[in-house]
Amino acid sequence: MTRFELVRGNIVEQDVDAIVNAANSSLLGGGGVDGAIHEAAGPELLAACELLDGCETGAAKITPGFQLKARYVIHAVGPGYYSEPRHAELLASAYRRSLELATAHGITSIAFPAISTGIYGYPLDEAAPIAVGTVSAYVREHPAIELVRFVVWSADAEQRYQDALNNLH
Ligand code: APR
């Protein structure tokens, strides 16, 4: 059975097979999680991203992790909450497509940030149950994923995720 962990911390420091980036559709970097990951991974990450030809909202693409502890970065593009009327569907899709890439690459441990809840404005109380619910449904069908770690930045986010995890049982 897949183990779930919830930690407050920095996504770039996670020692897992893959960390997920909260990217935008250009895949060419930004602030928040995206900026931190590019800074920690080094310039080779941007060079690898430049070859990917962008990524649609709700989808994901994979690169090596370069100087990160993680072997891979999965670049997921979440929706803007206010700019995208289908935000709930697209947020779930960003998590699912990330996990599909993990499965395809034999990844057994993966760390997610709270996609779309920063610059993209998605309220945490709505995003946390989508994140936890979508991931939980996926790993029930794909038990080869042994560890999913949700990495959050704030105490408030931690509480929202804890509530969502409690509601799973
Ligand atoms: N580790 C873990 N969580 C972090 C970190 C970090 N180093 N930095 C920020 N966070 C948290 C934020 O507090 C927020 O809850 O991650 C969540 C996602 O925030 P953003 O990084 O702003 O991502 P998002 O809302 O998906 O916006 C994506 O921002 O940087 C640009 O290129 C990116 O355009 C894209 C947009």
Side-chain angles (χ1 to χ4, degrees), residues 9-12 22-24 29-36 113-121 124 151-153:
N10 191 335
I11 191 81
V12 306
N24 60 57
V33 165
D34 204 0
I115 298 170
S116 286
T117 65
I119 291 164
Y120 279 179
L124 269 160
V151 181
V152 295
W153 198 239

Side-chain angles (χ1 to χ4, degrees), residues 2-167:
T2 305
R3 190 165 87 248
F4 288 103
E5 292 178 355
L6 171 58
V7 301
R8 260 182 91 184
N10 191 335
I11 191 81
V12 306
E13 288 164 8
Q14 305 306 312
D15 192 1
V16 286
D17 289 346
I19 63 172
V20 176
N21 185 13
N24 60 57
S25 56
S26 79
L27 298 184
L28 299 179
V33 165
D34 204 0
I37 288 177
H38 275 275
E39 192 180 325
E44 289 165 292
L45 181 61
L46 181 57
C49 286
E50 282 169 352
L51 303 175
L52 295 177
D53 196 26
C55 182
E56 286 173 16
T57 302
K61 291 194 176 177
I62 192 166
T63 64
F66 299 104
Q67 290 173 51
L68 293 166
K69 290 179 192 160
R71 196 149 50 96
Y72 295 102
V73 178
I74 294 174
H75 305 264
V77 182
Y81 185 76
Y82 297 100
S83 61
E84 179 52 74
R86 292 161 57 226
H87 45 240
E89 181 192 324
L90 290 167
L91 184 62
S93 172
Y95 281 94
R96 208 161 31 239
R97 299 282 291 275
S98 297
L99 290 162
E100 286 167 4
L101 278 177
T103 298
H105 286 78
I107 286 161
T108 61
S109 57
I110 183 168
F112 282 98
I115 298 170
S116 286
T117 65
I119 291 164
Y120 279 179
Y122 216 114
L124 269 160
D125 60 335
E126 293 182 37
I130 292 173
V132 169
T134 304
V135 170
S136 158
Y138 184 88
V139 298
R140 265 199 299 275
E141 305 294 325
H142 300 84
I145 296 181
E146 293 166 10
L147 169 67
V148 176
R149 183 178 296 155
F150 295 106
V151 181
V152 295
W153 198 239
S154 68
D156 178 50
E158 186 177 29
Q159 188 58 57
R160 302 297 185 177
Y161 270 77
Q162 192 59 63
D163 291 345
L165 286 163
N166 292 343
N167 286 337

